[in-house]
Amino acid sequence: MNICFLCTRYPGYGGIENVTTVLANYLTSKHNIFITSLMEQDKDVLLKKLYKGIIVKHVDEKIFIKFLQDNKIDVIIFQDSFCEETYNLAELAYKKLKIRIISVCHNTPNAFLKLLRFNTFHIQQICLKNILKVILYPYRKFNCKKNISIWQKKIINISYKYITFTDEFKNQIIKITHCSENKIVVINNPNIYDSIPFIQRKEKKVLFVGRFDEQKGIFLLLKIWKKIQYKIPDWKLILVGDGELKKKIEKYINKNHLQSISLVGYKQNCSEYYEKASILCMTSIFEGWGLVLCEAMSYSLVPFLFESYSAAKIITDNGNAGILIKPFKINKYANNLVSIIENDVKLEKYRKNAHSFVSNFDISKIGLQYQKLIESIK
C-alpha cells in the first residue's frame, strides 16, 4: 500500500514527529511511505533518521491533493488531530479523493477541560479574578465540553479508524461523540529508543524533561522541591527544556531560594542527562502518552508522576515500574520522592522494573498492531 503520514510539523523534535519517524521506518518494509507536513524543523539533521526510500514533502492546500493523486495514496495516517489547519487537509483528502484516514489522538481527548478544571480550582491566591473563575466555572465547563464534542465529531466523521492510547481514552471519545465502538482502536505509542542495557552506575540527580508551559505543571515540581531540598542535600534537580514560562520559573526559584537546581535549556538529544540521572519527575496536568517516561525508563530511571491521565497506569504497570501519585497531592509526591531516595534497595528495584517493563512498547510490538490495522483496510 501507499501510506502517507500527515503532520503539522515534520521533521521536528516533538513527540509526534519522533513517533512518526519510528513508525514510518517500521512500515517501510512492507509499504511505500510518504510523510507530508505544513512546516519543518532542522530538516538536514533530522531526516537522517529516516530510512532511505521514504519521501518527505512540505505541502499546503494547493498541492496536497495533487501529491496524493500523483503518488496513488491509499491510506492517510493523520497525526495531529488537535490542529485545525492540518485537519483541513485531511478533510479535503477525505471529501475529494475518498482516501481512508486513520486519525491518531495524541493527547487526552478532553485535554482542554482538564486544564480548565486545574486552572480554576488550584488557585495560587484569593483575589477577585480567581473567585470569578470559580463562579463562572459551570458556564465555562459547558462551553468547553460543547467545543470538545464538536471537534471530536469532526475527526470521527472523516476517519476510517481513530487511534487512541488507552481504553479510558476510547470510552471518553465514545461518550463525547456517540460514535460506534468499532470506530476507535486502542494502540499504545511506541518507545522511540532502541533497547539500551541496564545502567548500573547512576548519580544523585532528579530529572525533568519537557516544555515549560501550563500543561507540564512545572510549578508543582518546584513546590515539591522546595519541600524536600534540605532533606536530600546531596541531590540535584536538573530541568531540561524551554518555553513561555522560563522567566517565571527563574523568578520563582530566586524568590523562594531554591537550591541545587540547574536549568540547562532545551536539548535536541537528552541521552547524556538520562544516562546520569536516577529519577525522572513528571508533574503534568494531562498527557496523551508521555514519551519522556518511556525514554527515561529505557535509561533505567524511576518515573515519578501524577496519575492525571489514564496512560500513566499503563506505562508504569499500575505503579510497579514507577511511582504514581494522586493528582495533585504535592505533599504525598514529596514524601514518596524522599522515601525512594533514602532507600537504595527500593530505588534499585524500581529502576530495574522500569527498565524491564518499557520493552512492552518496543516498535516491533506497536508497529505490528499498526500493520494489522492497515491490512484490515479493504
Side-chain angles (χ1 to χ4, degrees):
M1 278 191 179
N2 296 327
I3 299 171
C4 178
F5 286 87
L6 174 58
C7 305
T8 302
R9 181 182 65 187
Y10 191 90
Y13 292 104
I16 291 176
E17 296 93 326
N18 285 326
V19 167
T20 298
T21 298
V22 171
L23 283 171
N25 286 342
Y26 178 88
L27 293 172
T28 196
S29 63
K30 292 189 176 182
H31 305 280
N32 299 316
I33 303 298
F34 305 81
I35 303 175
T36 55
S37 67
L38 297 172
M39 61 186 79
E40 55 194 24
Q41 180 182 26
D42 287 357
K43 180 170 68 174
D44 294 339
V45 175
L46 293 172
L47 289 184
K48 293 177 182 178
K49 297 180 181 181
L50 271 183
Y51 291 173
K52 290 182 179 180
I54 298 174
I55 295 173
V56 178
K57 181 71 173 177
H58 183 260
V59 298
D60 55 27
E61 285 193 16
K62 293 180 181 178
I63 65 172
F64 184 56
I65 294 299
K66 187 175 186 305
F67 179 84
L68 298 177
Q69 290 173 322
D70 290 347
N71 292 285
K72 298 180 172 59
I73 300 299
D74 301 299
V75 178
I76 291 174
I77 299 179
F78 174 32
Q79 285 283 65
D80 198 346
S81 62
F82 280 77
C83 176
E84 185 170 5
E85 195 174 359
T86 319
Y87 165 81
N88 290 338
L89 292 183
E91 183 185 42
L92 199 63
Y94 172 74
K95 288 183 175 179
K96 284 198 171 186
L97 303 179
K98 304 301 180 185
I99 293 177
R100 296 294 178 92
I101 295 174
I102 297 173
S103 299
V104 187
C105 185
H106 278 277
N107 213 327
T108 301
N110 62 351
F112 299 116
L113 185 60
K114 279 180 169 272
L115 189 59
L116 173 64
R117 186 184 302 123
F118 180 84
N119 287 337
T120 301
F121 295 109
H122 287 78
I123 295 172
Q124 301 294 321
Q125 57 184 347
I126 301 298
C127 63
L128 180 59
K129 180 181 176 181
N130 288 332
I131 292 172
L132 285 173
K133 280 184 180 181
V134 175
I135 293 171
L136 293 174
Y137 176 72
Y139 171 76
R140 297 174 71 197
K141 177 183 177 182
F142 174 82
N143 282 331
C144 185
K145 290 176 72 173
K146 180 181 176 182
N147 290 333
I148 290 171
S149 176
I150 291 170
W151 182 254
Q152 291 291 348
K153 285 177 180 178
K154 289 175 69 173
I155 302 297
I156 286 291
N157 288 339
I158 67 167
S159 301
Y160 169 73
K161 295 291 183 182
Y162 193 11
I163 293 175
T164 189
F165 299 144
T166 72
D167 287 325
E168 185 177 320
F169 287 166
K170 175 179 178 177
N171 292 334
Q172 283 180 19
I173 293 172
I174 292 171
K175 184 177 180 180
I176 291 168
T177 65
H178 308 291
C179 69
S180 166
E181 184 176 343
N182 294 330
K183 192 87 164 184
I184 315 298
V185 180
V186 176
I187 302 179
N188 300 152
N189 244 353
N191 184 11
I192 65 171
Y193 282 97
D194 294 329
S195 179
I196 299 167
F198 183 77
I199 301 174
Q200 295 286 349
R201 297 177 64 86
K202 287 284 190 175
E203 298 179 11
K204 295 180 178 181
K205 292 181 178 178
V206 175
L207 188 65
F208 169 92
V209 178
R211 298 186 311 276
F212 293 170
D213 64 13
E214 278 190 300
Q215 178 190 340
K216 302 302 180 181
I218 193 166
F219 286 102
L220 295 174
L221 177 57
L222 296 179
K223 290 177 182 179
I224 291 164
W225 191 254
K226 182 180 179 182
K227 291 177 178 293
I228 68 173
Q229 59 181 339
Y230 297 117
K231 297 179 181 179
I232 49 170
D234 297 334
W235 283 70
K236 295 180 179 179
L237 173 61
I238 313 297
L239 304 180
V240 181
D242 203 346
E244 61 198 43
L245 297 179
K246 182 179 179 180
K247 289 185 178 179
K248 289 184 178 181
I249 290 168
E250 291 172 337
K251 183 178 179 180
Y252 184 94
I253 290 171
N254 293 329
K255 182 179 179 181
N256 291 276
H257 308 292
L258 300 190
Q259 305 296 315
S260 302
I261 296 183
S262 296
L263 280 76
V264 300
Y266 170 76
K267 301 297 176 183
Q268 295 178 6
N269 189 332
C270 297
S271 297
E272 64 175 294
Y273 297 98
Y274 286 135
E275 287 170 356
K276 295 176 181 179
S278 299
I279 293 169
L280 177 92
C281 280
M282 176 188 277
T283 46
S284 296
I285 313 307
F286 61 88
E287 291 282 348
W289 184 250
L291 284 176
V292 66
L293 296 175
C294 292
E295 293 171 11
M297 292 162 74
S298 297
Y299 280 91
S300 314
L301 280 75
V302 180
F304 264 75
L305 62 155
F306 290 121
E307 197 178 328
S308 56
Y309 67 108
S310 63
K313 292 179 286 187
I314 294 172
I315 297 172
T316 62
D317 189 24
N318 289 306
N320 294 312
I323 308 299
L324 293 173
I325 309 295
K326 184 177 179 180
F328 294 94
K329 305 295 184 181
I330 62 173
N331 287 334
K332 188 172 183 180
Y333 197 120
N335 292 337
N336 275 268
L337 190 52
V338 171
S339 176
I340 287 286
I341 285 172
E342 292 179 341
N343 189 328
D344 291 340
V345 174
K346 198 173 182 181
L347 178 59
E348 188 77 357
K349 173 190 171 185
Y350 272 102
R351 289 208 306 117
K352 288 180 176 178
N353 288 353
H355 181 264
S356 174
F357 189 74
V358 77
S359 64
N360 287 284
F361 312 113
D362 286 350
I363 185 58
S364 59
K365 297 174 182 177
I366 305 303
L368 184 60
Q369 295 177 60
Y370 269 85
Q371 176 61 31
K372 288 180 178 179
L373 176 58
I374 290 166
E375 288 175 351
S376 73
I377 297 176
K378 299 176 182 178

